Amino acid sequence: MTRSKAYVINGGAGRVVSSIPAFEKLAETTDDFIIVCEGGTDFYKGHPTLHGKVYDVWHKGLFEQHLKHRDLITPEPYRVWEYYNQKCSLAQAFDIIINNQGVRNLPAPRIILNKMEVVQSYNIVQEVKFKTGFDKVIVIQPFGRSVQNLGEFVVDPSSRSFNLKDTVEIINDLKKEYGVILMSEFPIALEEKETGKSPVAMLQINDLRVWAGIIDIADHFVGCDSLGQHLARAFNKTATIVTGSTFPVNISYPECPEFDIIDAGKDNRVYSPIRISMEDELDRANDEAMELSREQVHQVLASIKKRLGKSTKFKGKFVPPQQQDVGYCPTPSTQQVPAFSTSSGSLKPLSVSYTDGDKQ
C-alpha cells in the first residue's frame, strides 16, 4: 500500500516561491499530500490549491496528526543531475523530484496578495513617487542572503551579490531619472558630490509579502541571484538581472522575454556544488565573478532605461496613511537606517535621519 506524502521545504523564500509550480502540477494529479515549510509559509498563503495543504514546522500536533502516517520527502533541487549540469532551473528541479516528469516547461509561480498587502505596497510606491518627483519607480535588490556586513564593507563570499561599488554607481545614475527603492537588509552610504538629485528610499520591511506587493506595483526590478527576481517573475514584471557565480539557466529566467540577464560571470566561473560538497577552492575561483566591467555597468543601465523609457514629473496625489513615513537617504556617509516595521500588520515609523536639506 502506498502511503501519502509530506514534502518538507527548507531554505530561503526564493526556494519556496520556486517550488510553487511543481506543487501546482502535483495538485492536478492528486489531493493526497501536504507541505511543511521550515522557513515560513508566507508565499503559499492565499494560494487557491496549496494554502490548505501547507503547515509551519511549529503547527500544533503536526507530527502526531499530520506526519507520522506519511512518508517524508525533502526535495533538494541542488542535488538533481539536470540542475548541477545546467539542464534545468530551480523550479524545474523541484518538479523533477516531486512529479518525476523530467524537464518540462512550467508556468510562473502564482502568488496571491490580499487587499491590505496591495494597499500598503501601493502607498509606499506612491510616496516614493511623491518625494522623488518621478512617475516611474525601480526596486533594486543588490544583495542575496549570503552577504555579510563587515564594518564599512558589504561582502558576499559566494559572489552572487552585486559589488558595493557597482551598486552605488548604478543607484546614483538611476536616481537622476527615476524613483529608486533599495531592497536590502543593510543601508548603503551613497557618496554624492552633486546636489539637487533625488533621494533614495531605503526601507526596512520585515514582511516579504509587502515587498512582493512593492515589486508588483513598481515599474521595474533590478536584482541578483536572490528572492526579488522570483517575485518579479511571479508578477510578470520586467527585470534586469545580473548573475555571477551562478548560472542563469539554474537560478533565473533567461527564456522569459520580460527579463534581461547580464551574465557577469560567464567567462570566469566554475560551478559551485551548493548543498552537495563544501569545496572552498571553488568559491575562491569565483571570487571576482560579480565584479562588473565598465561595459557591464553600462549594459545594466541601458537595460533598465530601455525597459522604462523616460520618467516624467509625478503629478498624482499622495495622501499619507496614518502612522506611515518613508525614510530617504540622498547623500549620507553616516546615517541611521530609515525603516518600516510591519509587525501586527500595520506600518509604524522607526528612527529616520535626513541630510542635505532633503527632510520633508
Side-chain angles (χ1 to χ4, degrees):
M1 180 179 177
T2 303
R3 287 185 293 269
S4 57
K5 295 178 174 61
Y7 295 89
V8 181
I9 301 298
N10 55 28
R15 284 163 62 99
V16 171
V17 174
S18 297
S19 74
I20 290 174
F23 283 125
E24 289 178 331
K25 290 293 185 183
L26 180 62
E28 293 175 2
T29 63
T30 180
D31 192 50
D32 191 16
F33 70 95
I34 66 170
I35 305 167
V36 178
C37 195
E38 293 183 354
T41 62
D42 285 356
F43 290 113
Y44 296 122
K45 290 178 179 177
H47 192 284
T49 57
L50 301 181
H51 177 86
K53 296 181 174 298
V54 176
Y55 296 84
D56 289 291
V57 290
W58 43 258
H59 187 89
K60 184 177 180 180
L62 177 63
F63 177 70
E64 288 291 338
Q65 297 176 24
H66 301 286
L67 299 182
K68 190 174 182 179
H69 63 284
R70 299 177 186 266
D71 284 329
L72 301 184
I73 299 171
T74 303
E76 182 41 75
Y78 295 163
R79 295 179 184 175
V80 172
W81 184 91
E82 289 85 351
Y83 186 87
Y84 58 75
N85 281 285
Q86 288 73 63
K87 306 293 184 183
C88 76
S89 68
L90 189 62
Q92 289 170 322
F94 272 117
D95 186 47
I96 289 170
I97 299 170
I98 293 168
N99 294 300
N100 195 29
Q101 296 293 314
V103 180
R104 57 179 174 172
N105 293 329
L106 296 171
R110 206 164 20 153
I111 297 172
I112 310 297
L113 300 175
N114 65 25
K115 59 180 176 290
M116 188 66 176
E117 293 158 347
V118 171
V119 169
Q120 287 179 340
S121 304
Y122 173 83
N123 283 336
I124 291 168
V125 174
Q126 285 296 101
E127 186 169 356
V128 171
K129 291 180 179 181
F130 176 74
K131 289 196 173 182
T132 64
F134 294 119
D135 70 335
K136 294 182 180 178
V137 172
I138 301 166
V139 177
I140 179 167
Q141 184 187 24
F143 311 128
R145 291 305 302 271
S146 54
V147 79
Q148 299 177 29
N149 191 357
L150 304 175
E152 297 181 4
F153 301 92
V154 179
V155 180
D156 184 350
S158 69
S159 300
R160 289 182 283 179
S161 302
F162 277 78
N163 177 284
L164 181 59
K165 177 178 176 293
D166 295 332
T167 301
V168 171
E169 181 177 353
I170 290 168
I171 290 176
N172 277 338
D173 187 288
L174 292 175
K175 72 178 194 173
K176 300 174 188 177
E177 301 181 52
Y178 308 103
V180 178
I181 298 175
L182 177 65
M183 183 179 180
S184 172
E185 296 180 31
F186 309 112
I188 294 178
L190 299 174
E191 298 177 1
E192 188 65 77
K193 295 180 181 179
E194 301 176 44
T195 59
K197 293 184 180 179
S198 296
V200 171
M202 296 189 182
L203 316 179
Q204 191 177 61
I205 302 175
N206 296 324
D207 190 336
L208 293 178
R209 291 180 64 87
V210 174
W211 271 118
I214 292 171
I215 289 172
D216 183 24
I217 293 168
D219 299 285
H220 190 70
F221 176 80
V222 182
C224 59
D225 176 6
S226 196
L227 168 65
Q229 64 160 339
H230 299 296
L231 299 178
R233 181 70 187 98
F235 295 110
N236 200 37
K237 304 298 291 187
T238 59
T240 301
I241 307 301
V242 179
T243 59
S245 66
T246 47
F247 290 77
V249 67
N250 288 150
I251 55 84
S252 193
Y253 304 91
E255 302 302 321
C256 177
E258 284 74 31
F259 272 51
D260 294 336
I261 296 180
I262 289 84
D263 190 359
K266 181 178 181 180
D267 298 323
N268 62 344
R269 67 164 164 252
V270 295
Y271 183 79
S272 181
I274 301 168
R275 297 185 180 227
I276 298 176
S277 68
M278 303 291 289
E279 302 176 54
D280 176 68
E281 67 271 20
L282 297 179
D283 280 342
R284 290 180 180 275
N286 289 330
D287 196 50
E288 296 183 358
M290 276 292 280
E291 302 287 333
L292 302 186
S293 66
R294 297 298 309 159
E295 179 183 357
Q296 288 167 333
V297 170
H298 292 153
Q299 281 183 301
V300 172
L301 293 170
S303 163
I304 297 165
K305 295 175 183 182
K306 175 193 71 175
R307 292 288 186 173
L308 282 176
K310 292 186 179 297
S311 194
T312 59
K313 183 176 178 58
F314 176 63
K315 298 179 181 179
K317 294 181 180 180
F318 172 68
V319 180
Q322 189 176 12
Q323 291 190 316
Q324 180 176 314
D325 191 18
V326 173
Y328 286 85
C329 209
T331 64
S333 56
T334 60
Q335 69 214 20
Q336 299 176 21
V337 182
F340 274 131
S341 169
T342 58
S343 58
S344 303
S346 61
L347 294 172
K348 300 178 181 179
L350 300 181
S351 178
V352 178
S353 63
Y354 299 82
T355 59
D356 289 358
D358 281 285
K359 184 172 181 179
Q360 298 187 39

